[in-house]
């Protein structure tokens, strides 16, 4: 007969809980920073593109934001797919500590999915600019 795993000390549970809550805050902050960087860089490149669109090969300058869009979208989809494990662990710790609430990681999941979808839409639109740009 297998013995149940030992129950961690309450201090250890509190440290794990604080770590998970801190990670949740950092993940949200990092997501915001990624989005700010992405849209600032994409906006700057689009501004440069439209001010110099008469140059023959200028449309290929849009490849960087397209690749950045696809890369970030993939990263965000992966992150959203892995959050359930962290959420379950946080809720187990909450239950062991006898707490009524814990941060809801699904909010982060929704923001990750939304950011990824918007980045894919931007990538498609930028691809359209390359395909349908006037020939010089």
């Amino acid at each position: 007969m297998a013995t149940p795993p030992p129950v961690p000390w309450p201090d250890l549970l509190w440290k794990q809980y604080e770590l998970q809550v801190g990670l949740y805050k950092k993940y949200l902050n990092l997501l915001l920073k990624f989005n700010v960087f992405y849209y600032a860089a994409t906006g700057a490149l689009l501004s440069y593109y439209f001010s110099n669109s008469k140059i023959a090969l200028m449309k290929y300058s849009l490849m960087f934001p397209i690749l950045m869009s696809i890369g970030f979208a993939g990263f965000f989809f992966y992150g959203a797919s892995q959050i359930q494990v962290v959420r379950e662990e946080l809720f187990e710790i909450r239950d062991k500590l006898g707490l009524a609430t814990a941060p809801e990681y699904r909010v982060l999941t929704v923001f990750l999915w939304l950011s990824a979808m918007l980045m894919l839409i931007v990538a498609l639109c930028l691809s359209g600019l390359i395909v349908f740009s006037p020939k010089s």
Side-chain angles (χ1 to χ4, degrees), residues 38-97:
Y38 168 78
Y39 288 109
T42 302
L45 284 166
L46 275 173
S47 175
Y48 185 77
Y49 167 78
F50 283 120
S51 65
N52 296 296
S53 61
K54 298 211 188 300
I55 300 172
L57 298 176
M58 186 55 65
K59 65 183 178 182
Y60 297 109
S61 68
L62 298 177
M63 288 304 294
F64 175 70
I66 290 171
L67 294 174
M68 189 170 57
S69 299
I70 294 168
F72 282 168
F75 180 67
F76 291 160
F77 281 134
Y78 177 75
S81 72
Q82 299 302 309
I83 286 183
Q84 186 62 27
V85 175
V86 177
R87 181 182 182 274
E88 289 172 4
E89 181 181 339
L90 179 66
F91 279 44
E92 285 177 17
I93 295 169
R94 176 205 63 189
D95 293 342
K96 288 177 184 175
L97 289 172

Side-chain angles (χ1 to χ4, degrees), residues 16-34:
Q16 284 180 309
Y17 186 80
E18 288 175 6
L19 176 67
Q20 292 292 351
V21 172
L23 282 173
Y24 175 74
K25 291 177 189 177
K26 287 181 182 180
Y27 289 156
L28 279 174
N29 189 23
L30 189 60
L31 178 63
L32 176 65
K33 288 179 180 180
F34 262 101

